[in-house]
Amino acid sequence: AQKITQTQPGMFVQEKEAVTLDCTYDTSDPSYGLFWYKQPSSGEMIFLIYQGSYDQQNATEGRYSLNFQKARKSANLVISASQLGDSAMYFCAMETGYSTLTFGKGTMLLVSP
Amino acid sequence: DTGVSQNPRHKITKRGQNVTFRCDPISEHNRLYWYRQTLGQGPEFLTYFQNEAQLEKSRLLSDRFSAERPKGSFSTLEIQRTEQGDSAMYLCASSEQPSSAETQYFGPGTRLLVL
């Protein structure tokens, strides 16, 4: 079975600082994909970044980067230079070839001025 | 805007009533997914379609739930005889490629409250 664990219920960061949101995963499938989504209070899940299990380099998308440590089964999201608009719930998710996503419980990020 | 759309955005109903939600995926996407999200949790998979074929259903999808995707375009999710435990956000997502870990793009969701 696939499992995603996000151990940080909430994180606080000041504007312009970097923040790391933790995600660990468990799967026996050698081929999988890891995703991060942002969910503002409006409810829509916004795709941020993707990492494939066979990708040699860590994924980056603008201010977002994914710190992928395969041996530790972790896929932490790093947001550089936080902005007030980054305040939201963040979900880590995994896809293992069965075409469905398994999500963690999420981390609430609050960015203060 | 050519993203995933869902209607209605909010639905309040009384226990025992039937409700139907609609999802319009991104036009070139052939896969469509339904998820349910309860308060304080991440989304949980319900079912998905490739074109008009419903390929997988979660155990969460009781007999009171039915989903369709006629003609492989929009999809509907119907809940019959609603219960208070059905109160949740229902999210629809779509993706393009059927054979790889392709990004799923989500709609804004339908918030259901069963009184």
Side-chain angles (χ1 to χ4, degrees):
Chain A
Q2 297 80 38
K3 186 177 181 181
I4 294 283
T5 302
Q6 294 180 254
T7 58
Q8 305 156 315
M11 291 285 286
F12 295 88
V13 67
Q14 280 199 313
E15 200 175 7
K16 299 181 184 177
E17 290 184 348
V19 63
T20 298
L21 306 183
D22 294 341
C23 172
T24 57
Y25 61 92
D26 189 23
T27 180
S28 56
D29 197 317
S31 176
Y32 50 89
L34 296 158
F35 299 80
W36 278 92
Y37 286 86
K38 171 185 177 182
Q39 188 177 42
S41 56
S42 59
E44 183 172 358
M45 299 285 286
I46 301 168
F47 166 71
L48 296 178
I49 196 167
Y50 164 79
Q51 179 86 42
S53 58
Y54 294 120
D55 293 343
Q56 295 297 313
Q57 292 190 327
N58 287 345
T60 60
E61 289 286 349
R63 295 185 299 112
Y64 304 108
S65 61
L66 201 152
N67 184 3
F68 181 47
Q69 298 188 40
K70 197 169 182 177
R72 294 186 176 185
K73 293 191 174 181
S74 73
N76 299 339
L77 177 70
V78 180
I79 305 175
S80 63
S82 299
Q83 301 173 355
L84 296 178
D86 293 336
S87 293
M89 283 291 289
Y90 288 80
F91 290 95
C92 180
M94 176 168 61
E95 192 274 350
T96 59
Y98 294 98
S99 300
T100 63
L101 291 174
T102 300
F103 286 85
K105 291 190 174 183
T107 296
M108 171 66 79
L109 176 65
L110 290 179
V111 181
S112 62
Chain B
D1 186 276
T2 56
V4 179
S5 62
Q6 292 186 246
N7 288 289
R9 294 291 308 276
H10 303 272
K11 180 71 177 180
I12 300 174
T13 190
K14 292 182 179 179
R15 188 177 54 184
Q17 298 293 306
N18 299 343
V19 295
T20 300
F21 310 141
R22 176 177 170 131
C23 171
D24 288 88
I26 295 170
S27 60
E28 64 268 25
H29 287 185
N30 50 30
R31 280 211 165 165
L32 186 148
Y33 309 80
W34 286 99
Y35 292 83
R36 182 175 71 183
Q37 185 179 21
T38 53
L39 203 60
Q41 303 294 321
E44 295 174 291
F45 167 73
L46 292 178
T47 188
Y48 86 89
F49 294 83
Q50 181 163 325
N51 300 313
E52 64 275 8
Q54 188 173 16
L55 295 187
E56 189 175 344
K57 293 192 290 185
S58 161
R59 284 175 291 179
L60 293 175
L61 211 67
S62 75
D63 291 344
R64 297 184 296 105
F65 288 70
S66 63
E68 294 182 342
R69 192 183 182 196
K71 303 179 183 177
S73 55
F74 70 91
S75 176
T76 58
L77 178 68
E78 180 182 16
I79 309 174
Q80 296 182 324
R81 305 180 303 281
T82 52
E83 301 173 356
Q84 289 182 329
D86 297 331
S87 296
M89 170 83 94
Y90 290 84
L91 292 161
C92 175
S94 68
S95 68
E96 186 173 7
Q97 292 291 343
S99 60
S100 62
E102 191 66 22
T103 299
Q104 296 181 24
Y105 294 92
F106 284 79
T110 295
R111 291 183 189 269
L112 173 66
L113 178 61
V114 181
L115 301 176

